[in-house]
Amino acid sequence: DKRWNKSSIETCLRGSIPTDLVATKASNWDYIVTNVRLFNLDVPVMPLAVVYPKTNEQVAAAIKCASEWGAAVQTRSGGHSYGNHAYGGGYNNTVTIDLENMKHMRWDKSRDWVAHVGAGLSLGELDKLLMENGGRAMAHGTCPGVGSELPFFLTGYQGPC
């Protein structure tokens, strides 16, 4: 019976993902400042680890490790969250997957200019790429620093670009 165990999750993550892409409190003295970066100090949280994957396979490995050891998984793509949801929103048994290394966009011109977008892009970065690569734009509000993960992956946005 596997139960939540901080050292076992860390061992699993470091065995599945390059160690320079895994940050934990034990491995980094300024972990809370450089990796966690709490937005709301009234919601104290301390995720078990923050993982910075570069590939889909590394994302899958992080999810598998967390699942095997009973930890929750939450992604971060923008950099702020009023409720610190990217870190577990008040629960400390969370592995945060930071998508900052997954910044890419590819046009599929054969499908009426469909854009395949990496979840690490901010909306501002995505705006720039859309304009530079086809003169396209999209409506999204006034916060260019918000990660593209939220409007696209959580809401299933499929509007025209």
Coordinates of all heavy atoms in Angstrom, one line a residue, residues 107-155:
W107 N 1.5 26.1 -36.7 CA 0.3 26.3 -37.6 C 0.0 25.0 -38.3 O 0.9 24.4 -38.9 CB 0.5 27.4 -38.6 CG 0.4 28.8 -38.0 CD1 1.4 29.7 -37.9 CD2 -0.8 29.5 -37.6 NE1 0.9 30.9 -37.4 CE2 -0.4 30.7 -37.2 CE3 -2.1 29.1 -37.4 CZ2 -1.3 31.7 -36.7 CZ3 -3.0 30.0 -36.9 CH2 -2.6 31.3 -36.6
D108 N -1.2 24.7 -38.4 CA -1.7 23.6 -39.3 C -2.5 24.2 -40.4 O -3.7 24.4 -40.3 CB -2.5 22.5 -38.6 CG -2.9 21.3 -39.4 OD1 -2.7 21.4 -40.6 OD2 -3.4 20.4 -38.8
K109 N -1.8 24.7 -41.5 CA -2.4 25.4 -42.5 C -3.4 24.6 -43.4 O -4.3 25.1 -44.0 CB -1.4 26.1 -43.4 CG -0.6 27.1 -42.7 CD 0.5 27.7 -43.5 CE 1.4 28.6 -42.7 NZ 2.5 29.1 -43.4
S110 N -3.2 23.3 -43.3 CA -4.1 22.4 -44.1 C -5.4 22.3 -43.4 O -6.4 21.8 -44.0 CB -3.5 21.0 -44.2 OG -3.4 20.3 -42.9
R111 N -5.6 22.7 -42.2 CA -6.8 22.7 -41.4 C -7.3 24.1 -41.1 O -7.7 24.4 -40.0 CB -6.7 21.9 -40.1 CG -6.4 20.4 -40.4 CD -6.4 19.6 -39.1 NE -7.6 19.8 -38.3 CZ -7.6 19.7 -37.0 NH1 -6.5 19.5 -36.4 NH2 -8.7 19.9 -36.3
D112 N -7.3 25.0 -42.1 CA -7.8 26.3 -42.0 C -7.1 27.1 -40.9 O -7.7 27.7 -40.1 CB -9.3 26.3 -41.7 CG -10.0 27.5 -42.1 OD1 -9.4 28.3 -42.9 OD2 -11.1 27.8 -41.6
W113 N -5.8 27.0 -40.9 CA -4.9 27.8 -40.0 C -5.2 27.4 -38.5 O -5.3 28.3 -37.7 CB -5.1 29.3 -40.2 CG -4.4 29.7 -41.5 CD1 -5.0 29.7 -42.7 CD2 -3.1 30.3 -41.7 NE1 -4.1 30.2 -43.7 CE2 -3.0 30.6 -43.0 CE3 -2.1 30.6 -40.8 CZ2 -1.8 31.1 -43.5 CZ3 -1.0 31.1 -41.3 CH2 -0.8 31.4 -42.7
V114 N -5.3 26.2 -38.2 CA -5.4 25.8 -36.8 C -4.1 25.9 -36.1 O -3.0 25.5 -36.6 CB -5.9 24.3 -36.7 CG1 -5.9 23.8 -35.3 CG2 -7.3 24.2 -37.2
A115 N -4.0 26.5 -34.9 CA -2.8 26.7 -34.2 C -2.7 25.7 -33.1 O -3.6 25.5 -32.3 CB -2.7 28.1 -33.6
H116 N -1.6 25.0 -33.0 CA -1.3 24.0 -31.9 C -0.4 24.8 -30.9 O 0.7 25.2 -31.3 CB -0.6 22.8 -32.4 CG -1.5 22.0 -33.4 ND1 -2.4 21.1 -33.0 CD2 -1.6 22.2 -34.7 CE1 -3.0 20.6 -34.1 NE2 -2.6 21.3 -35.1
V117 N -0.8 25.0 -29.7 CA -0.2 25.9 -28.8 C 0.3 25.2 -27.5 O -0.4 24.4 -26.9 CB -1.2 27.0 -28.4 CG1 -0.6 28.0 -27.4 CG2 -1.7 27.8 -29.6
G118 N 1.5 25.4 -27.1 CA 2.1 24.9 -25.9 C 1.5 25.7 -24.7 O 1.3 26.9 -24.8
A119 N 1.2 25.0 -23.7 CA 0.5 25.6 -22.5 C 1.4 26.5 -21.7 O 0.9 27.2 -20.8 CB 0.0 24.5 -21.6
G120 N 2.7 26.6 -22.0 CA 3.6 27.5 -21.3 C 3.5 28.9 -21.8 O 4.1 29.8 -21.2
L121 N 2.9 29.1 -23.0 CA 2.8 30.5 -23.5 C 1.9 31.3 -22.7 O 0.8 30.9 -22.4 CB 2.3 30.4 -25.0 CG 3.3 29.9 -26.0 CD1 2.6 29.7 -27.4 CD2 4.4 30.9 -26.2
S122 N 2.2 32.6 -22.5 CA 1.3 33.5 -21.9 C 0.4 34.0 -23.1 O 0.8 33.9 -24.3 CB 2.0 34.7 -21.3 OG 2.6 35.5 -22.3
L123 N -0.7 34.6 -22.7 CA -1.6 35.2 -23.8 C -0.9 36.3 -24.6 O -1.1 36.4 -25.8 CB -2.9 35.7 -23.2 CG -3.8 34.6 -22.6 CD1 -5.0 35.2 -21.9 CD2 -4.2 33.6 -23.7
G124 N 0.0 37.1 -23.9 CA 0.7 38.1 -24.6 C 1.7 37.5 -25.6 O 1.8 38.0 -26.8
E125 N 2.4 36.4 -25.2 CA 3.3 35.7 -26.1 C 2.6 35.1 -27.3 O 3.0 35.2 -28.4 CB 4.1 34.7 -25.4 CG 5.1 35.2 -24.3 CD 5.6 34.2 -23.4 OE1 4.9 33.2 -23.1 OE2 6.8 34.3 -23.0
L126 N 1.4 34.5 -27.0 CA 0.6 33.9 -28.0 C 0.1 35.0 -29.0 O 0.2 34.8 -30.2 CB -0.6 33.2 -27.4 CG -1.5 32.5 -28.4 CD1 -0.8 31.5 -29.3 CD2 -2.6 31.8 -27.6
D127 N -0.3 36.1 -28.5 CA -0.7 37.2 -29.4 C 0.4 37.6 -30.4 O 0.1 37.7 -31.6 CB -1.0 38.5 -28.6 CG -2.4 38.5 -28.0 OD1 -3.3 37.7 -28.4 OD2 -2.7 39.3 -27.1
K128 N 1.6 37.7 -29.9 CA 2.7 38.1 -30.7 C 3.0 37.0 -31.8 O 3.2 37.4 -33.0 CB 3.9 38.3 -29.9 CG 5.1 38.8 -30.6 CD 6.3 39.1 -29.7 CE 7.5 39.6 -30.5 NZ 8.7 39.8 -29.7
L129 N 2.9 35.8 -31.4 CA 3.2 34.7 -32.4 C 2.1 34.6 -33.4 O 2.3 34.4 -34.6 CB 3.3 33.3 -31.6 CG 4.6 33.1 -30.9 CD1 4.5 31.9 -30.0 CD2 5.8 33.0 -31.8
L130 N 0.8 34.8 -33.0 CA -0.3 34.8 -33.9 C -0.1 35.9 -35.0 O -0.4 35.7 -36.2 CB -1.6 34.9 -33.2 CG -2.1 33.7 -32.4 CD1 -3.3 34.1 -31.6 CD2 -2.4 32.5 -33.3
M131 N 0.2 37.1 -34.5 CA 0.4 38.2 -35.4 C 1.6 38.0 -36.4 O 1.5 38.3 -37.6 CB 0.5 39.5 -34.6 CG 0.4 40.8 -35.5 SD -1.0 40.9 -36.6 CE -2.4 41.0 -35.4
E132 N 2.7 37.6 -35.8 CA 3.9 37.4 -36.6 C 3.8 36.2 -37.6 O 4.5 36.3 -38.7 CB 5.1 37.1 -35.7 CG 5.5 38.3 -34.9 CD 6.6 38.0 -33.9 OE1 6.9 36.8 -33.7 OE2 7.1 38.9 -33.3
N133 N 2.9 35.3 -37.4 CA 2.9 34.1 -38.2 C 1.5 33.9 -38.8 O 0.8 32.9 -38.7 CB 3.2 32.8 -37.4 CG 4.6 32.8 -36.9 OD1 5.5 32.6 -37.6 ND2 4.8 33.2 -35.6
G134 N 1.1 34.9 -39.5 CA -0.2 34.8 -40.2 C -1.1 36.0 -40.1 O -2.2 36.0 -40.6
G135 N -0.7 37.0 -39.3 CA -1.5 38.2 -39.1 C -2.8 37.9 -38.4 O -3.9 38.5 -38.7
R136 N -2.8 37.0 -37.5 CA -4.1 36.6 -36.8 C -4.1 37.2 -35.4 O -3.1 37.6 -34.9 CB -4.1 35.1 -36.6 CG -4.1 34.3 -37.9 CD -5.4 34.5 -38.7 NE -5.7 33.5 -39.7 CZ -5.5 33.6 -40.9 NH1 -4.9 34.7 -41.4 NH2 -5.8 32.6 -41.8
A137 N -5.3 37.2 -34.8 CA -5.4 37.8 -33.4 C -6.6 37.0 -32.8 O -7.3 36.3 -33.5 CB -5.7 39.3 -33.5
M138 N -6.7 37.2 -31.5 CA -7.9 36.6 -30.8 C -8.2 37.5 -29.6 O -7.4 38.2 -29.1 CB -7.5 35.2 -30.3 CG -6.3 35.1 -29.4 SD -6.0 33.5 -28.7 CE -6.3 33.8 -27.0
A139 N -9.5 37.4 -29.2 CA -9.9 38.2 -28.0 C -9.7 37.4 -26.8 O -9.9 36.2 -26.7 CB -11.4 38.5 -28.2
H140 N -9.2 38.0 -25.7 CA -8.9 37.3 -24.5 C -8.9 38.1 -23.2 O -8.8 37.6 -22.1 CB -7.6 36.5 -24.5 CG -6.4 37.3 -24.7 ND1 -5.9 38.2 -23.8 CD2 -5.6 37.5 -25.8 CE1 -4.9 38.8 -24.2 NE2 -4.6 38.4 -25.4
G141 N -9.1 39.4 -23.3 CA -9.1 40.2 -22.1 C -7.9 41.1 -22.1 O -7.2 41.3 -23.1
T142 N -7.5 41.6 -20.9 CA -6.5 42.6 -20.8 C -5.3 42.2 -20.0 O -4.6 43.0 -19.5 CB -7.0 44.0 -20.3 OG1 -7.6 43.7 -19.0 CG2 -8.1 44.5 -21.2
C143 N -5.1 41.0 -19.8 CA -4.0 40.5 -19.0 C -3.0 39.6 -19.8 O -3.2 38.4 -19.9 CB -4.6 39.6 -17.8 SG -4.1 40.2 -16.2
P144 N -2.0 40.2 -20.4 CA -1.1 39.5 -21.3 C -0.2 38.4 -20.5 O 0.3 37.5 -21.1 CB -0.2 40.5 -22.0 CG -0.3 41.7 -21.1 CD -1.7 41.6 -20.4
G145 N -0.1 38.6 -19.2 CA 0.7 37.7 -18.5 C 0.0 36.4 -18.1 O 0.6 35.5 -17.5
V146 N -1.3 36.3 -18.3 CA -2.1 35.1 -18.0 C -1.6 34.0 -18.9 O -1.4 34.2 -20.1 CB -3.6 35.3 -18.1 CG1 -4.4 34.0 -18.0 CG2 -4.1 36.3 -17.1
G147 N -1.4 32.8 -18.3 CA -1.0 31.6 -19.1 C -2.1 31.2 -20.1 O -3.3 31.3 -19.8
S148 N -1.7 30.6 -21.2 CA -2.7 30.2 -22.2 C -3.4 28.9 -21.7 O -4.4 28.5 -22.3 CB -2.0 29.9 -23.5 OG -1.0 28.9 -23.4
E149 N -2.9 28.2 -20.7 CA -3.5 27.0 -20.2 C -4.9 27.2 -19.8 O -5.8 26.5 -20.1 CB -2.7 26.5 -19.0 CG -3.4 25.4 -18.2 CD -2.9 25.3 -16.8 OE1 -2.4 26.3 -16.2 OE2 -2.9 24.2 -16.3
L150 N -5.2 28.3 -19.0 CA -6.5 28.5 -18.5 C -7.6 28.7 -19.5 O -8.5 27.9 -19.6 CB -6.5 29.7 -17.5 CG -7.8 30.0 -16.8 CD1 -8.2 28.8 -15.9 CD2 -7.7 31.2 -16.0
P151 N -7.5 29.6 -20.4 CA -8.6 29.8 -21.4 C -8.7 28.7 -22.4 O -9.8 28.4 -22.8 CB -8.2 31.1 -22.1 CG -6.8 31.4 -21.8 CD -6.5 30.7 -20.6
F152 N -7.6 28.0 -22.7 CA -7.7 27.0 -23.7 C -8.0 25.6 -23.2 O -8.8 24.9 -23.7 CB -6.4 26.9 -24.6 CG -6.2 28.2 -25.4 CD1 -5.1 28.9 -25.2 CD2 -7.2 28.6 -26.2 CE1 -4.9 30.0 -26.0 CE2 -7.0 29.8 -26.9 CZ -5.9 30.5 -26.8
F153 N -7.2 25.2 -22.2 CA -7.3 23.8 -21.8 C -8.3 23.5 -20.7 O -8.9 22.5 -20.6 CB -5.9 23.4 -21.3 CG -4.9 23.6 -22.4 CD1 -4.0 24.6 -22.3 CD2 -4.9 22.7 -23.5 CE1 -3.1 24.8 -23.4 CE2 -4.0 23.0 -24.5 CZ -3.1 24.0 -24.5
L154 N -8.6 24.5 -19.9 CA -9.7 24.3 -18.9 C -11.1 24.6 -19.4 O -12.0 24.1 -19.0 CB -9.4 25.2 -17.6 CG -8.1 24.9 -16.9 CD1 -7.9 25.8 -15.7 CD2 -8.0 23.4 -16.5
T155 N -11.2 25.5 -20.4 CA -12.5 25.9 -20.9 C -12.7 25.3 -22.3 O -13.8 25.4 -22.8 CB -12.6 27.4 -21.0 OG1 -11.6 27.9 -21.9 CG2 -12.5 28.1 -19.7

